[in-house]
Amino acid sequence: MSDWTEKLPEAAQRYIQGRRVDEVECIVSDIAGVARGKAMPAFKFAKQTSFFLPNSIFLQTITGDWADNPTGAFTEPDMIMAPDFSTATAAPWTADVTLQVIHDAIDQTGQPVAAAPRNVLKRVLHLYKQKGWTPIVAPEMEFFLVARNIDPNMPVQPPMGRSGRRAAAKQAYSMSAVDEYGPVIDDIYDFAEAQGFEIDGILQEGGAGQVEINLAHGDPVRLADEIFYFKRLIREAALRHDCFATFMAKPIEGEPGSAMHIHHSVVDTATGQNIFSDAKGAETQAFLHFIAGMQNHLPAVIALLAPYVNSYRRYVPDFAAPINLEWGRDNRTTGLRVPISEPSGRRIENRLAGMDCNPYLGLAASLACGYLGLLEEKMPRPECLGDAYMSADELPYNLGDALDLFAEDEGVREVLGTGFCSVYDSVKRNEYKEFLQVISPWEREHLLLNV
């Protein structure tokens, strides 16, 4: 093997064993979580230690437009893209032998590019590290398998199952419902195994064709990398079977939305002990402070957890989505749930994030709120012991309101980095402005002849 292949993780080395690598995809996540970068022949990749991309990729909106640069200049200087070989993994759906490698974005002075989502998450983790803490997360991914939709004007429909019927709703945890699109699930498992990813479980969620994948807990950057990869993996598996996979927060009218629930715990780096539990296994003050931080600062980061106009369609009553900042033990109606666990596994589940969020930014935003809570040492509101769906709405109703709250929380902006926050605000306000110029079918149906 050449020098660079010796740096690869075990799963990648196993994938290419005895075969010649044809191509390497050098990628980085943009603001939306879309993979940007270059594909190059493996022999060329072996000869270089980095490549260049313009920093304007972090100003690109989900529609392909360009947001205003908050610095005022639009000269598009190059960034240095440095490979992180620990992220190297197979692209097993390709016809040839292809590897993917996530790269870190560095400016020409050697500093991390502030607007790069992976760097934002690393910044938050560094703040934890300075306090002697190591955060642990466990994400849950929800998504829909849907029939191929080639006309954006047509509503999205559930996929056709092996029975010849469309996938049915209200079949949560049904094994037969999962079997309806078993070939897609089989490919997801096969691709994940080839890429070296550990799936904790796959289950049917409440929507028609809605699936949930749980990942084992671990390091936030590694898990954000895996979700970044998983989104492409799942889409590729679906395409093999004549359907689409979508991570939209609310793709089908009348169906539940798709969340990315995030479980958090924090361990003392020196001792490895969960700081949410004391020596006797009881809840600590740090545990309550973390919850208070989530309650006090989550409204300001909803713009990152719910990053599109469609995201706010998920925050509606009676569709199993939290629309509150209450907390409770083993209470799924609360936005902040404390699952049943042993003291060593005590954790807090943030149920507000949508699956449409950039995984790096979703984890960074959620951890930033908990970090601020640990610093501020405030107490949370009393535990919600009943149905939190009955609580007053506490979240912004649309992306514009969410961005206003994001701009006002100085603590959040300091933790995430003011440079990043300015870029994110510019990109999202551009997207929101563009959306407001679109006339919807609802408006044409009900307003054209009636008002």
Side-chain angles (χ1 to χ4, degrees):
M1 292 193 301
S2 63
D3 289 342
W4 76 274
T5 60
E6 293 175 357
K7 303 174 185 177
L8 302 180
E10 181 181 348
Q13 293 201 25
R14 189 167 57 245
Y15 179 73
I16 67 173
Q17 190 171 21
R19 301 191 291 175
R20 181 176 65 87
V21 181
D22 294 290
E23 188 174 75
V24 178
E25 298 176 345
C26 307
I27 55 179
V28 61
S29 165
D30 71 359
I31 291 294
V34 175
R36 307 281 179 186
K38 298 180 179 180
M40 62 182 68
F43 73 86
K44 183 175 181 181
F45 178 80
K47 295 178 182 179
Q48 61 184 53
T49 57
S50 62
F51 72 96
F52 300 96
L53 282 179
N55 68 2
S56 57
I57 67 168
F58 299 121
L59 288 167
Q60 195 164 11
T61 70
I62 195 65
T63 66
D65 198 2
W66 302 98
D68 295 332
N69 190 333
T71 66
F74 204 88
T75 58
E76 296 191 87
D78 273 338
M79 306 176 293
I80 301 167
M81 312 306 296
D84 181 344
F85 284 99
S86 71
T87 70
T89 188
W93 48 84
T94 58
D96 53 14
V97 181
T98 301
L99 293 177
Q100 308 169 81
V101 182
I102 294 172
H103 284 53
D104 284 314
I106 304 166
D107 67 23
Q108 294 177 29
T109 69
Q111 297 301 308
V113 173
R118 196 169 191 252
N119 289 343
V120 175
L121 178 54
K122 287 186 174 183
R123 173 190 174 92
V124 175
L125 296 183
H126 181 69
L127 294 175
Y128 273 88
K129 183 178 179 180
Q130 289 181 315
K131 296 293 183 180
W133 301 322
T134 301
I136 306 294
V137 299
E140 301 172 358
M141 299 186 297
E142 296 176 355
F143 60 94
F144 277 86
L145 297 173
V146 301
R148 290 176 66 90
N149 182 285
I150 57 175
D151 182 355
N153 291 310
M154 298 301 294
V156 174
Q157 290 186 305
M160 201 70 73
R162 64 174 186 170
S163 66
R165 294 185 174 185
R166 295 204 180 275
K170 300 179 181 179
Q171 296 296 320
Y173 304 104
S174 166
M175 298 309 298
S176 60
V178 173
D179 290 341
E180 279 288 285
Y181 29 86
V184 181
I185 303 299
D186 290 343
D187 276 352
I188 289 173
Y189 271 122
D190 290 344
F191 289 166
E193 182 177 1
Q195 294 186 250
F197 301 153
E198 181 182 352
I199 295 176
D200 233 22
I202 293 182
L203 57 91
Q204 168 73 30
E205 262 294 344
Q210 189 180 29
V211 179
E212 179 179 307
I213 294 180
N214 298 329
L215 303 182
H217 65 273
D219 173 71
V221 172
R222 179 179 64 79
L223 284 165
D225 289 339
E226 288 192 8
I227 297 171
F228 176 60
Y229 278 139
F230 255 111
K231 284 190 170 183
R232 185 181 184 191
L233 174 167
I234 293 166
R235 289 191 185 101
E236 292 290 342
L239 287 171
R240 280 195 168 191
H241 300 280
D242 198 35
C243 62
F244 289 169
T246 180
F247 301 93
M248 279 180 67
K250 187 84 165 183
I252 303 178
E253 183 179 338
E255 297 285 357
S258 290
M260 186 181 80
H261 297 162
I262 308 169
H263 296 250
H264 316 68
S265 58
V266 180
V267 302
D268 183 287
T269 306
T271 66
Q273 299 300 308
N274 187 343
I275 69 169
F276 292 166
S277 300
D278 63 20
K280 295 181 179 179
E283 296 169 353
T284 61
Q285 292 292 295
F287 172 74
L288 297 173
H289 296 157
F290 195 98
I291 294 173
M294 304 286 269
Q295 289 182 326
N296 293 330
H297 295 284
L298 273 171
V301 300
I302 291 297
L304 284 82
L305 302 180
Y308 303 103
V309 290
N310 175 264
S311 308
Y312 298 83
R313 300 188 187 280
R314 183 175 150 259
Y315 294 145
V316 295
D318 304 321
F319 275 97
I323 51 175
N324 61 76
L325 296 170
E326 302 293 345
W327 75 279
R329 298 172 180 85
D330 196 26
N331 185 342
R332 283 185 169 83
T333 70
T334 58
L336 302 170
R337 172 176 172 257
V338 180
I340 297 172
S341 70
E342 296 295 324
S344 61
R346 180 168 281 117
R347 60 194 186 275
I348 299 157
E349 178 190 8
N350 175 2
R351 297 170 61 81
L352 298 181
M355 196 59 229
D356 55 345
C357 77
N358 181 314
Y360 299 103
L361 300 182
L363 293 181
S366 199
L367 288 169
C369 296
Y371 173 79
L372 288 168
L374 291 172
L375 295 190
E376 293 165 350
E377 297 186 341
K378 296 179 181 178
M379 296 302 288
R381 301 199 295 255
E383 178 186 4
C384 177
L385 300 175
D387 184 356
Y389 288 144
M390 305 299 291
S391 303
D393 295 350
E394 300 178 86
L395 304 180
Y397 290 104
N398 57 61
L399 182 58
D401 291 345
L403 289 170
D404 289 342
L405 292 175
F406 180 56
E408 294 167 3
D409 193 319
E410 291 300 327
V412 163
R413 295 178 69 84
E414 182 62 31
V415 172
L416 297 178
T418 55
F420 158 74
C421 292
S422 296
V423 167
Y424 189 85
D425 182 83
S426 180
V427 168
K428 290 300 164 183
R429 289 193 187 277
N430 183 291
E431 291 176 354
Y432 190 48
K433 178 181 178 181
E434 189 169 347
F435 170 79
L436 291 177
Q437 298 177 47
V438 175
I439 309 303
S440 70
W442 186 95
E443 292 166 277
R444 289 192 290 271
E445 179 178 353
H446 297 289
L447 305 181
L448 185 68
L449 301 177
N450 293 333
V451 297

